[in-house]
Amino acid sequence: MFKSLKLIALLSLSISAATQASSLTLSSNDIAQGEFMSKTQEFDGFGCNGDDLSPHLKWSNAPKGTKSFAITAYDPDAPTGSGWWHWQIVNIPANVSELATGAGSTTKNLAPKGSFQVANDYGSKGFGGACPPAGHGVHRYRFTVYALSVEKLDLPKGASGALAGFMINTNTIESSTIESLYKRK
């Protein structure tokens, strides 16, 4: 009996370790969990004067069945009643696992071939950096990669952030987030 219980415990630990080892993981050379972003990721406009560059993002351990990826950057602390979409890029091919700093440019074509950048809440298609209202305190910025079960999200060219978010969430197998901070000086 003791040997059987010991074997079951070892198998449970092995399965648990294997499950943890295969979890989708997001990392970055530019941003970190719970740390403040630099002016590199600050918007250039609306009274802000940053470099407006999307951060480097790299992900690994995509789950079985992943056919594409999506990335979002969202500020839940924006005083809008619905947060603020800073970036939504969808239809990233399944063989892509990294985006360079600036890949979300609204003026240069640096996003992966086949991907589609949804208009952010500034009104441009691509990344729009942090720019919380002056005196509003610290805001959280959630950069999330989603492993999707479909090759392509069928979104109209003028899709809203809410529609893109719905389609992303409907087709997500697994996701991973880095939550960075920013405070306007």
Side-chain angles (χ1 to χ4, degrees):
M1 174 83 168
F2 179 71
K3 284 185 179 182
S4 296
L5 290 175
K6 188 174 180 181
L7 180 60
I8 290 170
L10 286 173
L11 284 173
S12 295
L13 286 174
S14 296
I15 291 169
S16 177
T19 302
Q20 289 175 352
S22 65
S23 292
L24 183 63
T25 304
L26 181 61
S27 62
S28 176
N29 295 335
D30 298 329
I31 61 172
Q33 179 68 30
E35 300 290 327
F36 281 87
M37 294 185 289
S38 73
K39 273 197 86 80
T40 304
Q41 280 75 50
E42 183 182 86
F43 189 63
D44 185 16
F46 286 39
C48 293
N49 60 359
D51 296 331
D52 203 20
L53 293 177
S54 59
H56 162 267
L57 296 172
K58 183 175 183 173
W59 54 96
S60 58
N61 301 318
K64 185 177 181 176
T66 299
K67 294 184 178 170
S68 69
F69 295 98
I71 292 173
T72 63
Y74 177 72
D75 172 5
D77 301 314
T80 63
S82 61
W84 191 271
W85 289 107
H86 287 268
W87 193 23
Q88 290 177 304
I89 179 171
V90 301
N91 303 338
I92 300 169
N95 65 345
V96 173
S97 61
E98 185 171 16
L99 296 181
T101 302
S105 173
T106 59
T107 59
K108 300 173 185 170
N109 190 18
L110 302 175
K113 186 175 182 165
S115 64
F116 173 72
Q117 297 195 79
V118 176
N120 59 43
D121 282 341
Y122 293 114
S124 56
K125 290 187 177 188
F127 178 76
C131 186
H136 202 257
V138 176
H139 281 223
R140 297 168 291 158
Y141 295 85
R142 294 177 180 156
F143 291 85
T144 304
V145 62
Y146 302 85
L148 303 179
S149 61
V150 294
E151 246 178 71
K152 183 178 180 185
L153 294 179
D154 190 21
L155 292 170
K157 289 205 183 288
S160 68
L163 177 58
F166 172 78
M167 294 299 289
I168 289 168
N169 287 314
T170 298
N171 294 285
T172 294
I173 301 169
E174 190 175 348
S175 65
S176 182
T177 300
I178 296 173
E179 185 175 88
S180 292
L181 309 172
Y182 201 78
K183 181 179 179 180
R184 190 163 163 193
K185 296 180 183 187

